[in-house]
């Protein structure tokens, strides 16, 4: 008997599989089931063992239900064109009812049947399917009341939940789903959480909905969760369903909910952290983009759509997404397109080309071109190198895909321009040359020839940045271009410079034979041109470097015979004279030493640049140094300018650096260090001197020099930092166009901001905030966030000037939501003073909102009292919010010992207005940068380098000349030699305050107090730092 | 689910048209490809959508059986894209898997298909391939956690599991591997032995290790056991030449290099052979030969070099294309194109296809060739640039080498040690000229027997000579 039951189950399960997979065999299968039914009936009738009857009846019920399902399928297959409501399914329903009746009989006759839970569950499910919800509900209730094992209870509650969900009784449905989740986790738990999420959506409890969905995003594999519709043949992944469903509540989260749950702050990061599967991430982001677009949050929508587009997809889906990106970018007025987006577009277009889908290619051409054109104007306005280079590559794709497009020429010109501004000069030169090869009017062609020549010249100017191949290409390209240019425009003035450059190129690549040939031709053609002198000198040098002094002198003589200008003549003669001296020098003997400085200076003067002159000058230098005579700097300089490569040059430089440091002439020391670096770039001290020089310049307020030096050292980031410190905004904005990542975006944005170019600034700062964090970027991104937030508050205040209306209020609230989100982002960065700032600005935002609401007038249809009833609690909320933010601000600054002007705003609850510009005080430069010094003090310091008294005299001198950086440098030196004295630290504290270096001032005063806790100067100094003044806000209600 | 594939255990192909498929399988089993093809042709006009896909699958299997593996591979990929997740597509995935392993085909297309989420279930035996492709897709995209999540699907004993292990080992190898790395490598090679393509790669790499460990003799033993073809043949000959040079077997080394210069080796053209020859001749103090080598180099590469300098589009330079085609991973794509051409030639050689179908396959092969060339050009653009840079750098190196050789020539007493090398006797007819002429096409059989008859011309420094 048991065997019979097992075989029947096998038959049923096989039947089910075949029915779904092989529609053609369904009729035959139906016949098989019918015979199984007959067989089972007989067995029921004939069996004597009562214990097996409920088992057999249950098998019977399942066979009947299976038969009904097959009949339904067969009917549908036989009438493929019929609409669902045109077919009569009465016979099938009757079979189901028969099956249900069998189940009911089991329940009635065999209340102790071991499989009764399954019977009840099947009954409930079948009743639900035929639409008898009431009876289904009863069955599930009976199942739950039987208090069976958790699995059946949770399934029963789940099904009850579903019934109420369909009735739209979401609260009751939710109660039942909660009952499932309260039981130990089982197969129904995920489905219950999922449906609970939907109940909460319908009840508009969005945060709660999202929390339920989050419980369905486990990290397990694909085997775990399949949605309830599996029985219907529709398989879907519940995790994916939950993720897609979560998009709605996510888009509805309030600002408060987001600020309390910072994981929701950045949608892309949030979903990336939740999803292990790229494909689901793509679908979810796509849904989110559509949702945000629907909510008119165009910028966010476009950013998310762009990210979703980057995830690899089937070509058709990717094309669809590409269109979404085109549309959303247009809607968001977004002109900055990432390299990755351009690359993905290129991938799609290449695939279309490979598949010869010309129609589609044609369809996307205007979209792509529009995107390129918009990116072009934007990239040119902000001049970010990485953006421009991405654009150049995108243009390349366009030209390869659409070589015959009517716009191809325009695109090529744009490409050349983008490459030029993006400092890809060699590529720019190639592109401009390509333009000249197209059919264009001659005068236009000349313009492009000129641009190509300029681009080549710039490429060659920065030749060290080029690879080997590029170097060769730049040189060859330039030569070829010059030949073409000469042929097309023989009389043009540019040719002179171009021909000179050809000689110089040969010289630079050490092809001296070709260089001499070129220069000789050039000099014969242009004896009085702008580059004649330089050409003559380089020609001489080419001979010199080939050790061909004979040709040097003979060709020099020949050129002197040409019609050259007197200035060229004199330079040439000088070079020839030097060459002659070099010849003498090589046979010159050694000179005696230990003579008096004056005498040697005399000898040096009379001996010109001979080695005698060099030795004499060195002796003079040594003698002056020993005497402590400051004139030795002058003699040293003279030696270095005349004998740059002289044997003592290195020692002299080192000595002068050391001495300048002793006499606190830090600006001078820095200049010598840089000279040393340029003379001996490979020496072991060079790197150290390079960084020391910049520090010294910064310390002594030589702002422009320090920036320039950093630029020469290719340390763009430090250059930008210094430009920010000293308020060189334009410079900073230019420098940072070449700095990639968050830092570059920050400095460039800040540069625009400080210069009042608001639109450019905001676009860049917004990008900076959205950029992935890098080492050291937290402070910058946080500051950018504060700027954005403060700007948004200003926008909000500007809105207030408009006549009050409900839409205006909505606009204000939307803006405040964005501001709050920005500030939450700042807080996330955990960046000391900007965290304090973010709390202070949050306080300010709340205060402003309270003010706006308190001044709002009710709409015409609403009585004042009723309006007040709505608005007053909100005002109280905002005021409370302001208070809480200010308290957190003070608490944080105290706990973390953070020094910020913003604490004043928090302490006075907004009465003192502090802005980021005030927080970022620019260090004021005194009248004179570098350290002021007199000959007398210098001599004294050379004799007693650690004399505090002498140093104090120097300090006074600098203070009296309002040279605050000089004073600061001297005060630092005093603490070095007299660090145990509180007075020394006080002097440094005061000096630091004068240059707005409050952090250092505080540290100095604290050091003084450590030595002498009763020191009143230090106490006063600290009090002054901690009580900054600020602008007062107008009292609430005064606007 | 897309990137996480559900494994279908004991998966079997369930036919769309069972009767047709039974007959087809019977014909295939009996190797009666004509009958199998006739069955497909018969149904062609009557079949509806899904059945047509099944017929396409049948055609792919016939092509595979007939050795038209490139067409079979690409048709299988195309079928997978057109009817993703269907029974024929899952069977086509099997074809792709088998051919990718056997022929070492390029995986870019199948990688794309496996990562776009068009199907989410696959036969259990295909899960290692799919997991490997998911890992590959995520390895460089800062999505390592996604790659990690696919690792369990890699059966460590499968082809893809072993390949992944090899690649991980290669990444972790130090710049200069030592004996311990060699041991690790050999252990891994043992696991790869059952997969012929991997086995050959492992052996080749082992030979390179040995060379870097100055064990050229052992390296040469490995090369002797390998039977490379096409581009690999050229590369291995060059590596053998290096090892022979290391062992001071100058004649054989130079002979190999000379063979590599022949016109039939154009596919394996390599500029560094001239450098090695220059070094060898300089070592032997054959200074004029150093110059001759440079001139030969310039006669081969000079015009390409000039065009690079003049800014000609790099994709228009055939020599650069040859160099790219030898570099990993582009060589896979290049080999695929070469194989496609070979298979096109063999299309009708054994059992001919019906005329119409033969013509169709012909046209399809040509079209596919164009597409593959286009793809190779598009994807290998950075490599093209790298090769151009290399060529320029090698030319400069060569200039330096020539200069050093000249310096050495003008030194009175070159201080070279152990000068015992003497010319070998000719093993084939020919004069005692410096170079052996290798212009015939039958060189491959004679490979390794040619030698350049050259002896050490450096004057030996006598004991007590001043340095």
């Amino acid at each position: 008997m048991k065997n019979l039951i097992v075989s029947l189950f096998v038959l049923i399960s096989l039947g089910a599989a075949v029915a779904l997979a092989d529609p053609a065999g369904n009729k035959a299968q139906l016949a098989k089931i019918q015979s199984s039914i007959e067989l089972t009936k007989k067995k029921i009738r004939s069996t004597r063992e009562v214990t097996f009857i409920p088992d057999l009846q249950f098998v019977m019920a399942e066979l009947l239900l299976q038969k009904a399902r097959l009949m339904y399928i067969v009917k549908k297959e036989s009438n493929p064109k019929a609409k669902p409501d045109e077919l009569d399914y009465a016979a099938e329903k009757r079979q189901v009812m028969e099956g249900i009746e069998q189940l009911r009989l089991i329940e009635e006759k065999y209340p102790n049947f071991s499989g009764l839970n399954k019977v009840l569950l099947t009954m409930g499910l079948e009743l639900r399917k035929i639409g008898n919800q009431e009876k289904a509900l009863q069955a599930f209730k009976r199942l739950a009341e039987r208090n069976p094992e958790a699995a059946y209870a949770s399934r029963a509650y789940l099904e009850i939940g579903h019934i109420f969900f369909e009735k739209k009784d979401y609260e009751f449905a939710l109660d039942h789903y909660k009952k499932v989740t309260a039981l130990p986790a089982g197969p129904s738990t995920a489905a219950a959480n999922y449906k609970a999420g939907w109940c909460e959506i319908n009840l508009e409890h969005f945060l709660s909905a999202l929390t339920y969905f989050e419980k369905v995003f486990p990290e397990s594999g694909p085997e775990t969760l399949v949605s309830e519709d599996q029985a219907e043949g529709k398989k879907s992944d519940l995790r994916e369903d939950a993720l897609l469903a979560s998009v709605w509540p996510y888009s509805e989260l309030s600002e408060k909910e987001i600020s309390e749950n910072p994981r929701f702050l950045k949608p892309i990061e949030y979903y990336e952290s939740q999803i292990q599967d790229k494909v689901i991430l793509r679908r979810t982001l796509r849904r989110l983009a559509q949702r945000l677009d629907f909510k008119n949050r165009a910028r966010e929508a476009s950013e998310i759509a762009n990210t979703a587009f980057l995830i690899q997809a089937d070509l058709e889906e990717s094309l669809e997404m590409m269109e979404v990106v085109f549309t959303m970018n247009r809607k968001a007025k977004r002109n900055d397109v990432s390299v990755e987006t351009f690359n993905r577009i290129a991938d799609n277009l290449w695939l279309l080309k490979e598949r010869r889908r010309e129609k589609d290619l044609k369809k996307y051409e205007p979209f792509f071109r529009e995107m390129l054109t918009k990116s072009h104007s934007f990239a040119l306005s902000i001049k970010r190198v990485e953006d421009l280079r991405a654009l150049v590559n995108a243009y390349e794709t366009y030209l390869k895909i659409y070589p015959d497009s009517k716009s191809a020429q325009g695109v090529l010109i744009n490409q050349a321009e983008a490459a030029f501004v993006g400092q890809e000069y060699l590529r720019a030169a190639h592109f401009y040359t390509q333009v000249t090869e197209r059919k264009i009017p001659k005068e236009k062609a000349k313009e492009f020839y000129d641009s190509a020549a300029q681009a080549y010249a710039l490429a060659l100017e920065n030749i060290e940045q080029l690879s080997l191949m590029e170097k060769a290409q730049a040189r060859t390209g330039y030569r070829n271009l010059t030949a073409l240019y000469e042929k097309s425009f023989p009389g043009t003035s540019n040719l002179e410079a171009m021909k000179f450059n050809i000689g110089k190129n040969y010289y630079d690549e050490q092809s001296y034979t070709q260089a001499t040939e070129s220069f000789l031709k050039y000099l014969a053609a242009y004896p009085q041109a702008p580059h004649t002198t330089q050409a003559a000198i380089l020609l001489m040098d080419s001979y010199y470097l080939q050790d061909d002094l004979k040709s040097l002198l003979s060709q020099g003589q020949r050129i002197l015979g040409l019609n050259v200008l007197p200035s060229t003549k004199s330079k040439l003669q000088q070079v020839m004279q030097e060459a002659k001296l070099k010849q003498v020098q090589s046979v010159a003997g050694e000179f005696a030493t230990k003579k008096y400085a004056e005498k040697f200076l005399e000898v040096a003067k009379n001996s010109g640049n001979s080695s005698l002159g060099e030795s004499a000058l060195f002796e003079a230098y040594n003698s002056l140094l020993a005497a402590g005579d400051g004139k030795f700097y002058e003699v040293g300089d003279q030696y270095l300018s005349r004998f740059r490569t002289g044997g003592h040059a290195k020692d002299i430089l080192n000595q002068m650096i050391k001495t300048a440091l002793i006499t606190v002439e830090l600006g001078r020391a820095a200049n010598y260090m840089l000279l040393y670096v340029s003379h001996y770039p490979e020496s072991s001290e060079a790197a150290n001197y390079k960084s020391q020089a910049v520090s010294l310049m910064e310390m002594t307020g030589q702002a422009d020099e320090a920036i320039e030096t950093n630029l020469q050292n290719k340390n763009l980031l430090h250059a930008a930092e210094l430009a920010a410190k000293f308020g060189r905004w334009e410079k900073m904005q230019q420098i940072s166009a070449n700095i990639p990542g968050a830092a570059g975006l920050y400095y460039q944005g800040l540069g625009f901001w400080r210069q009042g170019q608001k639109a450019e600034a905001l676009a860049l700062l917004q990008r900076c905030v959205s950029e992935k964090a890098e080492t050291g970027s937290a402070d910058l991104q946080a500051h950018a966030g504060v700027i954005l937030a403060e700007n948004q508050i200003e926008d909000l205040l500007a809105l207030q000037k408009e006549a009050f209306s409900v839409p205006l209020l909505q606009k204000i609230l939307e803006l405040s939501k964005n501001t709050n989100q920005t500030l939450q982002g700042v807080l996330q960065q955990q960046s000391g003073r900007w965290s304090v700032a973010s709390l202070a600005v949050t306080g300010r935002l709340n205060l402003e909102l309270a003010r706006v609401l308190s001044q709002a007038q009710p709409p015409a249809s609403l009585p004042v009292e009723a309006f007040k009833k709505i608005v007053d609690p909100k005002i109280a909320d905002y005021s409370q919010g302001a208070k809480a933010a200010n308290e957190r601000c003070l608490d944080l600054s105290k706990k973390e010992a953070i020094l910020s002007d913003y604490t004043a705003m928090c302490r006075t609850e907004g009465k003192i207005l502090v802005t980021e510009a005030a927080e970022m005080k620019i260090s004021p430069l005194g009248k004179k940068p570098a350290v002021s010094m007199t000959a007398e003090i210098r001599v004294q310091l050379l004799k007693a380098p650690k004399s505090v008294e002498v140093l104090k005299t120097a300090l006074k001198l600098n203070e009296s000349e309002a040279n605050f950086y000089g004073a600061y440098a001297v005060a630092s030196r005093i603490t070095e030699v007299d660090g145990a004295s509180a007075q020394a630290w006080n002097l440094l504290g005061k000096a630091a305050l004068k240059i707005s270096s409050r952090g250092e001032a505080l540290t100095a005063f604290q050091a003084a107090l450590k030595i002498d806790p009763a020191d009143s100067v230090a106490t006063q100094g600290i009090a002054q730092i901690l009580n900054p003044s600020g602008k007062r806000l107008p009292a609430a209600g005064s606007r | 689910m897309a990137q996480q594939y559900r494994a279908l255990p004991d998966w079997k192909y369930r036919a769309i048209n069972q009767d047709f498929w039974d007959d087809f399988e019977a014909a295939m089993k009996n190797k009666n490809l004509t009958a199998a093809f006739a069955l497909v042709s018969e149904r062609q006009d009557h079949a509806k959508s899904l059945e047509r896909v099944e017929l396409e699958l049948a055609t792919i299997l016939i092509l595979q059986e007939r050795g038209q593996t490139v067409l079979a591979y690409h048709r299988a990929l195309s079928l997978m894209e057109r009817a993703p997740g269907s029974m024929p597509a899952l069977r086509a995935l099997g074809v792709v898997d088998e051919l990718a392993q056997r022929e070492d085909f390029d995986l870019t297309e199948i990688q794309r298909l496996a990562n776009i989420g068009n199907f989410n279930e696959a036969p259990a035996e295909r899960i290692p391939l799919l997991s490997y492709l998911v890992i590959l897709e995520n390895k460089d995209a800062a999505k390592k956690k996604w790659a990690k999540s696919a690792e369990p699907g890699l059966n460590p004993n499968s082809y893809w599991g072993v390949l992944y292990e090899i690649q991980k080992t290669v990444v972790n190898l130090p710049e200069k591997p030592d004996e311990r790395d060699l041991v690790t490598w050999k252990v891994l090679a043992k696991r790869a032995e059952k997969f012929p393509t991997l086995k050959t790669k492992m052996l080749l790499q082992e030979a390179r290790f040995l060379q870097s460990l100055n064990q050229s003799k052992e390296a040469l033993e490995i090369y002797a056991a390998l039977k490379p073809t096409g581009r690999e043949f050229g590369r291995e000959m060059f590596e053998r030449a290096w090892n022979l040079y290391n062992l001071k077997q100058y004649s054989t080394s130079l002979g190999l290099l000379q063979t590599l210069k022949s016109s039939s080796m154009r596919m394996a053209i390599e500029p560094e052979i001239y450098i090695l020859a220059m070094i060898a001749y300089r070592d032997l103090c054959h200074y004029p030969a150093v110059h001759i080598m440079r001139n030969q180099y310039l006669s081969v590469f000079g015009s390409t070099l000039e065009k690079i300098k003049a800014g000609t589009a790099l994709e228009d330079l055939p020599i650069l294309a040859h160099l790219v085609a030898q570099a990993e991973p582009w060589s896979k794509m290049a080999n695929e194109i070469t194989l496609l051409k070979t298979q096109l030639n063999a299309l009708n050689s054994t059992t001919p296809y019906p005329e119409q179908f033969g013509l169709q396959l012909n046209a399809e092969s040509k079209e596919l060739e164009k597409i593959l060339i286009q793809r190779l050009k598009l994807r290998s653009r950075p490599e093209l640039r790298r090769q151009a840079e290399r060529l320029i750098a090698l030319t400069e190196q060569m200039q330096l080498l020539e200069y050093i050789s000249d310096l050495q020539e003008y030194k009175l007493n070159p201080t070279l040690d152990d000068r015992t090398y003497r010319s070998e006797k000719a093993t084939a007819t020919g004069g005692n000229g410096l170079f052996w002429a290798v212009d015939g096409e039958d060189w491959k059989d004679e490979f390794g027997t040619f030698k350049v008859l050259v002896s050490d011309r450096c004057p030996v420094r006598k004991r007590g000579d001043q340095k």
Side-chain angles (χ1 to χ4, degrees), chain A residues 910-931:
Chain A
K911 289 189 182 67
I912 291 177
L913 174 65
V914 179
T915 63
E916 61 78 34
E919 176 73 15
M920 293 285 290
K921 271 191 200 77
I922 300 306
S923 309
L925 288 175
K927 284 177 194 160
K928 278 187 183 174
V931 181

Side-chain angles (χ1 to χ4, degrees), chain A residues 533 565-572:
Chain A
T533 310
L565 290 169
S567 59
T568 310
K569 220 173 236 180
S570 104
K571 285 264 179 196
L572 202 56

Side-chain angles (χ1 to χ4, degrees), chain B residues 66-85:
Chain B
R66 288 275 309 262
Q68 252 104 38
T69 54
V70 185
L71 275 180
Y73 185 68
H74 286 277
R75 274 188 172 226
L77 287 169
S78 162
L79 187 153
M80 282 181 65
E81 189 163 18
R82 270 186 293 137

Side-chain angles (χ1 to χ4, degrees), chain B residues 271 308 320 323-324 327 382-392:
Chain B
I308 293 172
L320 279 189
L323 294 179
V324 168
E383 181 64 28
L384 211 51
R385 200 184 149 81
R386 214 180 66 78
Q387 291 296 339
E389 290 280 4
R390 182 166 82 102
L391 210 55
I392 304 261

Side-chain angles (χ1 to χ4, degrees), chain A residues 655-828:
Chain A
Q655 180 65 52
M656 292 203 295
I657 290 167
K658 215 163 141 188
T659 315
L661 287 173
I662 288 173
T663 58
V664 211
E665 290 170 281
L666 304 186
R668 188 188 280 274
N671 289 335
Y672 286 138
M673 284 174 182
L674 291 180
L675 198 59
Y676 188 96
V677 173
S678 78
H679 285 192
Y680 313 107
E682 304 299 331
S683 70
S684 56
E685 299 94 339
N688 188 22
Y689 277 163
K690 214 189 258 186
S691 64
Q692 260 198 61
V694 178
S695 305
L696 292 177
M697 285 172 167
E698 187 184 344
M699 193 177 186
T700 53
Q702 290 174 283
D704 299 322
E705 293 85 343
I707 293 168
E708 233 18 79
T709 308
N710 268 312
L711 286 179
Q712 280 161 16
N713 294 346
K714 297 197 170 45
N715 191 346
L716 300 187
L717 193 60
H718 197 193
E721 281 166 11
L722 288 177
K725 180 177 173 183
F726 293 110
R728 301 296 199 258
W729 308 124
E730 196 181 347
K731 190 81 186 166
M732 180 171 85
Q733 168 232 315
Q734 287 161 358
I735 296 166
S736 47
N738 290 305
I739 302 174
L745 291 163
Y746 165 78
Y747 284 115
Q748 202 185 2
L750 185 63
F752 278 124
W753 182 249
R754 293 280 190 256
Q755 292 177 90
Q757 285 174 258
K758 210 170 154 184
E760 290 86 350
L762 292 176
L764 290 163
L765 293 171
Q766 187 62 55
R767 272 173 70 184
C768 169
V769 170
S770 316
E771 193 81 355
K772 286 234 159 98
E774 309 155 0
T775 325
S777 72
D779 271 0
L780 313 183
Q781 287 177 300
H783 181 203
V786 172
I787 296 179
L788 291 170
E790 288 184 344
N791 177 63
Q792 283 159 348
I793 293 181
E794 291 308 323
D795 288 349
L796 192 144
L797 294 176
L799 280 177
Q800 208 192 341
K801 288 175 191 153
E802 293 175 22
F804 184 80
S805 65
V806 175
L808 177 68
L809 188 62
Q810 277 171 345
K811 225 165 159 186
I812 289 174
L813 292 177
E814 185 64 29
L815 194 57
S816 77
K817 188 176 171 184
N818 290 341
T819 313
N820 200 46
Q821 207 162 325
T822 311
L823 289 166
Q824 288 301 326
V826 175
L827 209 52
Q828 288 279 299

Side-chain angles (χ1 to χ4, degrees), chain A residues 222 237 239 272 275-279 282 313 350 354-356 396 400 467 469-470 473, chain B residues 1-3 6 81 112 116 137-138 143 145-146 308-309 315 367 371 374-375 378 385 389:
Chain A
D237 181 339
R239 291 183 306 164
E272 270 182 0
I275 304 174
Q276 297 297 311
D277 187 297
K278 265 181 169 177
V279 177
R282 185 182 74 218
W350 277 115
E354 185 180 299
R355 293 174 190 194
R356 300 189 191 286
E396 193 163 337
K400 287 219 184 281
S467 71
M469 178 178 78
E470 289 167 339
Q473 284 181 335
Chain B
M1 296 295 294
Q3 279 208 284
R6 195 175 2 242
E81 189 163 18
R112 187 176 67 82
I116 57 179
E137 176 78 4
N138 292 299
K143 303 284 182 208
K145 66 169 186 179
W146 288 353
I308 293 172
K309 287 180 188 171
E315 54 262 41
E367 178 64 19
I371 290 175
Q374 177 63 35
R375 275 186 203 164
L378 186 67
R385 200 184 149 81
E389 290 280 4

